[in-house]
């Protein structure tokens, strides 16, 4: 099996022949430049937990210089974790709330692109592990939501999407065909990622699995587990998710069944 660059990154981090600084740069900073590493350390150490208006002003001014590109009027709450920010692009008026994680790990640049007027809720995580994440404009990402793209997968979120608290997108399953190797050793079974159409609404605690497309204007009910494509304007719910009705039908046109 061809080794992914993410697996190569894991091997480099675990290589004890490399210095601790190099491994730290691979895992957290995303650059082997000593100057950029010192800048990253200084800015995040001084401003990461600075409270109140002073902290917001400090991070709005200095955090922007860590990203590949950052539009105007970005706001960063206290305790935001940045990993490989040099591979992340932010649009205008992006709000990243307290405790959120922006992780751009990978070998391409940019790995994460976030559009204009996006809100990333408290303790939400946007994690790229050698995948690509594209988030459109006017997207709301709820508290504790987890969005990830792994090993070449792509996560695409259209404009005007609502993502409820603690929703989970992505990750990947594992191969398990062989019995002479552990499941961990057999590697991931990737299906290409996830695509969420414009105007969709993903409910609280919903799970959208790798390989799924959710259509334009669709609604995924709270707690649903989506493992197949959802048509445009459909409403789905349950485990696994099933069609409840279409938004283009009046509710009284659907049978009680």
């Amino acid at each position: 099996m061809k080794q992914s660059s993410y697996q190569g990154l894991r091997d480099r981090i675990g290589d004890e022949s490399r210095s601790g600084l190099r491994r730290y740069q691979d895992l957290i900073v995303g650059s082997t430049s000593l100057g950029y590493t010192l800048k990253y350390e200084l800015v995040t150490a001084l401003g990461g937990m600075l409270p109140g208006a002073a902290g917001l002003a400090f991070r709005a001014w200095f955090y922007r210089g860590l990203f590949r590109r950052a539009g105007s009027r970005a706001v960063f709450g206290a305790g935001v974790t940045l990993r490989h920010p040099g591979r992340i692009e932010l649009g205008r008026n992006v709000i990243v709330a307290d405790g959120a994680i922006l992780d751009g790990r990978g070998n391409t640049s940019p790995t994460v692109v976030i559009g204009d007027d996006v809100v990333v809720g408290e303790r939400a995580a946007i994690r790229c592990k050698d995948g690509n994440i594209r988030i459109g404009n006017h997207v709301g990402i709820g508290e504790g939501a987890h969005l990830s793209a792994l090993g070449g997968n792509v996560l695409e979120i259209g404009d005007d999407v609502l993502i409820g608290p603690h929703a989970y997108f992505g990750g990947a399953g594992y191969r398990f065909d062989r019995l002479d190797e552990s499941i961990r050793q057999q590697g991931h079974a990737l299906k290409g990622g996830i695509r969420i159409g414009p105007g969709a609404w993903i409910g609280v605690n919903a799970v959208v699995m790798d390989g799924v497309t959710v259509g334009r204007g669709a609604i995924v009910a709270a707690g649903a587990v989506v493992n197949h494509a959802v048509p445009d304007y459909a409403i789905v719910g349950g485990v696994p998710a099933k069609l409840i009705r279409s938004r283009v039908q009046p509710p009284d046109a659907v049978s009680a069944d």
Side-chain angles (χ1 to χ4, degrees):
M1 183 184 303
K2 182 179 179 181
Q3 183 186 55
S4 73
S5 53
Y6 173 61
Q7 181 63 46
L9 173 60
R10 292 181 61 181
D11 290 342
R12 294 198 304 275
I13 294 169
D15 183 356
E16 295 184 0
S17 68
R18 304 175 74 245
S19 70
L21 173 61
R22 289 299 191 197
R23 287 188 284 169
Y24 176 77
Q25 289 173 323
D26 280 340
L27 179 63
I28 302 296
V29 181
S31 172
T32 57
S33 164
L34 183 58
Y36 182 87
T37 301
L38 291 173
K39 176 181 177 182
Y40 173 92
E41 288 293 296
L42 184 63
V43 169
T44 56
L46 290 178
M49 296 302 296
L50 193 63
L56 290 173
F58 181 96
R59 290 185 291 271
W61 183 262
F62 289 103
Y63 272 30
R64 291 180 60 197
L66 298 176
F67 291 93
R68 186 177 190 270
R69 183 181 67 83
S72 60
R73 302 182 66 182
V75 175
F76 301 94
V80 170
T81 298
L82 301 179
R83 294 176 181 155
H84 292 231
R87 293 185 172 91
I88 300 174
E89 293 187 358
L90 303 179
R92 293 178 290 106
N93 302 321
V94 172
I95 298 174
V96 184
D98 294 356
I101 298 172
L102 301 181
D103 185 345
R105 279 180 288 174
N107 289 334
T108 62
S109 190
T111 52
V112 178
V113 177
I114 298 175
D116 299 336
D117 302 299
V118 172
V119 177
V120 181
E122 292 182 2
R123 296 179 298 282
I126 299 174
R127 297 180 184 272
C128 195
K129 299 178 181 179
D130 197 35
N132 285 277
I133 297 176
R134 302 288 183 266
I135 299 174
N137 302 319
H138 313 292
V139 173
I141 301 171
E143 174 186 352
H146 189 112
L147 283 59
S148 65
L150 174 67
N153 274 352
V154 177
L155 171 59
E156 294 182 357
I157 298 174
D159 296 341
D160 300 301
V161 170
L162 294 172
I163 300 171
H166 305 287
Y168 181 88
F169 291 8
Y174 284 87
R175 302 178 188 277
F176 53 86
D177 299 329
R178 299 183 60 174
L179 302 181
D180 59 333
E181 290 185 343
S182 71
I183 294 174
R184 182 187 65 83
Q185 292 173 315
Q186 293 180 56
H188 292 102
L190 302 173
K191 298 181 179 179
I194 293 170
R195 287 158 181 83
I196 309 294
W201 175 19
I202 313 298
V204 60
N205 288 322
V207 176
V208 182
M209 304 296 289
D210 182 21
V212 167
T213 295
V214 176
R216 175 185 293 269
I219 299 174
V220 175
V225 176
V226 185
N227 60 3
H228 57 80
V230 177
D232 292 350
Y233 304 109
I235 302 175
V236 300
V239 181
K242 297 181 180 180
L243 179 67
I244 297 173
R245 70 175 179 89
S246 172
R247 292 179 61 201
V248 299
Q249 291 179 287
D252 57 7
V254 182
S255 70
D257 292 339

